Amino acid sequence: MLITSYNPTQLGDTLIAILRPDTAEQKIETHANVTRISDVATGETLGYNFFDVSKTLGTLDVNGQIKLTADQVAKLNDLLTANDFDADLVVDLTPKFVVGHVDSAEAHPKSDHLQITKTNVGTDTDLQIVSGSPNMQADILVVVAKVGAMMPDGLIIWPGELRGVESDGMIVSGRELQLPHAPQHPGAMILPADYQAVGEPFDFDRAQTLFTA
């Protein structure tokens, strides 16, 4: 997993790289312009802060999440090696917001408002996603934020559980995607049946006119 963001207005010339969810006890090491955050219990890398990153990657014309190319990841790994860290960044170019089809939706056994869905995202295995959307039902076309997605508000989607049931991803609303004129109330965004093929990366540009004023 590799989730990266760059927010020069708030953090200056610093690239944030996230590999794993936060843990209770963390170790922080800084060598030159690189800080590594790791899990004390396992030693696994949770993330890195790359300061003065434009010296390594050049100018980054981004304010928010950034999708790094294989070449950019290689340059950051070289920087890690030069600063006595393991080169453990792995490029991730898979789309994280995709069109999905809810094949089934069943009531959660421990909740009166959650539903357990089996959602097809174009892979061999459906995703099990627990949803609290009041309009959730079977046989609808939706947008799925897969594990590793960063929402527009900065929330990262990790594997989790809701009342004891595993959930791998999130079925999202237009409001959560911050689409123009999206309804400002809870509920999954249901796409027209022929809007996009299941498994395709969600077309954010096209979606700017999905809702009318």
Side-chain angles (χ1 to χ4, degrees):
M1 193 75 64
L2 178 60
I3 305 162
T4 48
S5 64
Y6 183 72
N7 189 343
T9 59
Q10 298 294 325
L11 300 175
D13 189 23
T14 301
L15 181 77
I16 306 298
I18 301 169
L19 281 67
R20 295 176 177 85
D22 284 341
T23 57
E25 293 188 76
Q26 300 177 4
K27 179 181 179 180
I28 297 176
E29 302 172 81
T30 299
H31 299 173
N33 288 336
V34 180
T35 293
R36 176 181 182 256
I37 303 96
S38 59
D39 180 6
V40 170
T42 66
E44 292 181 321
T45 301
L46 303 177
Y48 292 100
N49 295 338
F50 295 95
F51 304 101
D52 296 326
V53 72
S54 61
K55 294 179 180 178
T56 301
L57 300 183
T59 301
L60 299 174
D61 188 19
V62 174
N63 192 8
Q65 186 176 16
I66 179 171
K67 296 291 187 181
L68 297 180
T69 65
D71 180 64
Q72 289 173 318
V73 171
K75 289 179 179 179
L76 291 177
N77 274 327
D78 287 343
L79 180 62
L80 290 174
T81 301
N83 284 283
D84 298 321
F85 290 121
D86 291 336
D88 54 0
L89 301 182
V90 179
V91 66
D92 184 359
L93 300 178
T94 59
K96 300 304 180 187
F97 292 92
V98 300
V99 176
H101 181 269
V102 179
D103 291 342
S104 66
E106 299 179 356
H108 192 298
K110 297 181 180 179
S111 171
D112 59 3
H113 72 281
L114 296 175
Q115 295 192 66
I116 304 169
T117 77
K118 298 294 185 182
T119 301
N120 178 5
V121 291
T123 58
D124 292 338
T125 304
D126 288 355
L127 294 181
Q128 177 170 286
I129 300 175
V130 179
S131 174
S133 295
N135 61 342
M136 186 52 56
Q137 58 186 308
D139 199 27
I140 56 175
L141 203 65
V142 295
V143 179
V144 174
K146 299 174 70 176
V147 168
M150 177 182 283
M151 299 294 289
D153 65 359
L155 173 71
I156 296 174
I157 306 301
W158 298 110
E161 288 188 0
L162 287 172
R163 299 198 179 181
V165 175
E166 292 184 4
S167 184
D168 290 312
M170 180 179 176
I171 297 172
V172 298
S173 67
R175 172 175 57 90
E176 290 165 328
L177 295 179
Q178 298 183 3
L179 297 179
H181 312 300
Q184 297 301 299
H185 54 73
M189 180 171 63
I190 301 176
L191 299 172
D194 59 351
Y195 189 77
Q196 279 187 256
V198 170
E200 285 187 352
F202 180 60
D203 189 338
F204 277 90
D205 291 336
R206 180 182 177 187
Q208 297 303 301
T209 57
L210 187 59
F211 300 98
T212 57

